[in-house]
């Protein structure tokens, strides 16, 4: 259950976040999208909800977008206020407990379904939200900048260097919705499968 203190943090940020300065409303609407994303996420956090299913992750996303707004702002009251609110959002993130048993379930390949940001550098993942999506050693999960409608999705970056039998670039970026899940697979099993596939392809290429 979310702690009352994090709800108060969200309400405080909503009340204290100043209007977006006029000189930040250009740039093809990027800062407006960031600003709108922060407001909408804070409103959900203030009512015990979570946009991504993980309140700590929601706070991380708020902090990140506030940091971008701070970086883009000129020196002045808006910049100073946003810097302080960013510190408050990071404090709130630390207060949120890690989700227990979320999300539950098994993926189509028999692996555990997890949030993208719960994966570690050693995990092997398949993006189950993308049919035929890339698979490989997990490198990073981060939030993409909100689009012009202020909708932010998660970026999954996977290393496909060892999966050369599939071709393509050594790295691939995949955008998935915030509520989507990835599947954590057994690395040893997947490496063995990749090596076996490579052997088969090699026999086809060389006829041996």
């Amino acid at each position: 259950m979310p702690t009352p203190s994090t709800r108060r943090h969200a309400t405080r940020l909503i009340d204290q976040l100043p209007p977006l300065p006029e000189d930040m409303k250009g740039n093809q609407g990027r800062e407006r999208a960031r600003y709108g994303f922060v407001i909408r996420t804070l409103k959900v956090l203030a009512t015990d909800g979570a946009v991504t299913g993980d309140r700590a992750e929601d706070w991380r996303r708020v902090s990140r977008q506030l940091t971008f707004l701070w970086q883009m702002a000129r020196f002045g009251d808006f910049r100073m206020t946003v810097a302080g609110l960013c510190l408050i959002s990071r404090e709130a993130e630390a207060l949120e407990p890690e989700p227990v048993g979320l999300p539950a379930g098994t993926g189509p390949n028999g692996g555990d379904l997890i949030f993208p940001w719960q994966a570690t550098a050693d995990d092997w993942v398949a993006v189950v939200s993308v049919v035929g999506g890339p698979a490989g050693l997990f490198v990073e999960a981060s939030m993409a900048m909100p689009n012009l409608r202020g909708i932010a999705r998660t970026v999954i970056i996977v290393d496909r260097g060892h999966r050369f039998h599939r071709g393509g670039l050594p790295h691939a970026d995949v955008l998935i919705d915030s509520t989507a899940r990835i599947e954590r697979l057994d690395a040893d099993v997947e490496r063995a499968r990749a090596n076996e596939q490579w052997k088969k392809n090699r026999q086809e290429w060389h006829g041996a």
Side-chain angles (χ1 to χ4, degrees):
M1 184 70 180
T3 61
S5 59
T6 58
R7 295 197 296 270
R8 289 199 298 269
H9 279 69
T11 301
R12 181 180 176 185
L13 262 69
I14 292 172
D15 292 340
Q16 296 185 7
L17 183 62
L20 189 69
E22 287 297 322
D23 60 7
M24 293 181 66
K25 292 182 179 179
N27 196 21
Q28 297 183 333
R30 290 186 177 90
E31 275 57 68
R32 283 182 292 175
R34 295 185 194 281
Y35 188 91
F37 174 80
V38 168
I39 291 294
R40 283 192 298 277
T41 304
L42 288 173
K43 287 182 177 179
V44 174
L45 288 168
T47 58
D48 289 349
V51 176
T52 64
D54 178 354
R55 285 174 63 88
E57 174 63 18
D58 282 359
W59 278 114
R60 280 191 287 272
R61 295 181 177 216
V62 167
S63 297
R64 183 174 183 181
Q65 296 308 315
L66 286 175
T67 299
F68 283 131
L69 289 172
W70 171 81
Q71 291 174 336
M72 295 300 296
R74 297 179 179 179
F75 288 100
D77 292 341
F78 179 84
R79 195 169 196 261
M80 294 297 294
T81 301
V82 169
L85 297 181
C86 188
L87 293 177
I88 295 173
S89 67
R90 291 174 182 171
E91 178 183 317
E93 175 193 335
L95 292 173
E96 290 290 353
E98 292 295 326
V100 178
L102 286 176
T106 302
N109 296 306
D112 296 328
L113 292 179
I114 59 175
F115 288 114
W117 50 90
Q118 291 177 318
T120 65
D122 295 329
D123 287 331
W124 189 289
V125 299
V127 183
V128 297
S129 64
V130 180
V131 177
L137 287 176
F138 177 87
V139 177
E140 179 185 356
S142 60
M143 185 186 66
M145 187 188 76
N147 60 22
L148 295 184
R149 292 192 300 167
I151 300 174
R153 296 188 292 179
T154 296
V155 174
I156 303 297
I157 304 175
V158 293
D159 183 353
R160 296 199 305 174
H162 62 286
R163 301 295 295 272
F164 45 81
H165 65 274
R166 294 189 61 177
L169 299 175
H171 291 79
D173 297 353
V174 179
L175 282 171
I176 66 174
D177 294 331
S178 295
T179 56
R181 303 294 184 259
I182 58 177
E183 183 179 5
R184 180 163 51 197
L185 303 174
D186 185 280
D188 291 336
V189 172
E190 292 303 311
R191 286 193 183 96
R193 183 181 300 171
N195 288 334
E196 184 63 27
Q197 183 64 48
W198 178 81
K199 291 178 182 178
K200 291 180 180 179
N201 289 346
R202 188 174 185 277
Q203 290 178 343
E204 292 177 0
W205 296 335
H206 297 283

